[in-house]
Amino acid sequence: MTSIAGLPDFLVYLGTGAGLTGLYLVVYTLATAHNELALIRRDVTAASVSLGGSLLGFTLPLAVAIYNARSVLDCLVWGLVALVVQVGVYWLVRLVLPDLSRRIEDDRIAAALLLGAASLAGGVLNAASMTY
């Protein structure tokens, strides 16, 4: 029985992480000027690349937040910080490429790769900052 003693905590943190990830996807897709899911349904690779990079950029610091959390509330707070940072990364890339959404809608991979890489870089820095 001791091998599954941590199962309740595992389930709580897994549920918290899944909930935060779902919230992130809703907030992020509302924050962008293009509809990622509609574009992905139309097989627009650029939308998938940019959203995938963003999702990785969010879940990396979320994983660190779960690992370092002293409580579920602590995890929630740092998960929300990760969410804000990722939305901020999107807006920073939009400053560099004001027509970012049009480029993604047009399936231009260069813009999607830039956004995905910036999102991942933001996530790595965010995660490292959470290891204080």
Side-chain angles (χ1 to χ4, degrees):
M1 277 302 214
T2 60
S3 63
I4 61 168
L7 185 60
D9 288 335
F10 165 80
L11 293 173
V12 167
Y13 282 97
L14 180 64
T16 301
L20 283 167
T21 301
L23 176 65
Y24 173 72
L25 288 171
V26 169
V27 170
Y28 184 81
T29 56
L30 290 173
T32 61
H34 53 278
N35 186 334
E36 287 89 348
L37 297 178
L39 292 171
I40 291 168
R41 286 185 188 106
R42 287 193 356 237
D43 207 25
V44 176
T45 304
S48 181
V49 167
S50 63
L51 183 60
S54 175
L55 187 59
L56 288 172
F58 171 72
T59 56
L60 180 62
L62 179 58
V64 171
I66 291 170
Y67 181 78
N68 290 318
R70 294 183 176 97
S71 67
V72 174
L73 179 59
D74 191 38
C75 177
L76 284 168
V77 168
W78 287 107
L80 292 174
V81 168
L83 185 152
V84 169
V85 168
Q86 282 304 306
V87 172
V89 167
Y90 167 75
W91 285 105
L92 287 173
V93 173
R94 286 269 318 258
L95 286 175
V96 175
L97 290 175
D99 62 341
L100 175 66
S101 289
R102 185 187 53 77
R103 290 174 184 230
I104 290 173
E105 289 169 352
D106 291 344
D107 206 11
R108 294 172 64 186
I109 299 300
L113 285 173
L114 175 63
L115 179 56
S119 296
L120 191 53
V124 169
L125 290 173
N126 194 3
S129 298
M130 291 182 186
T131 62
Y132 54 88

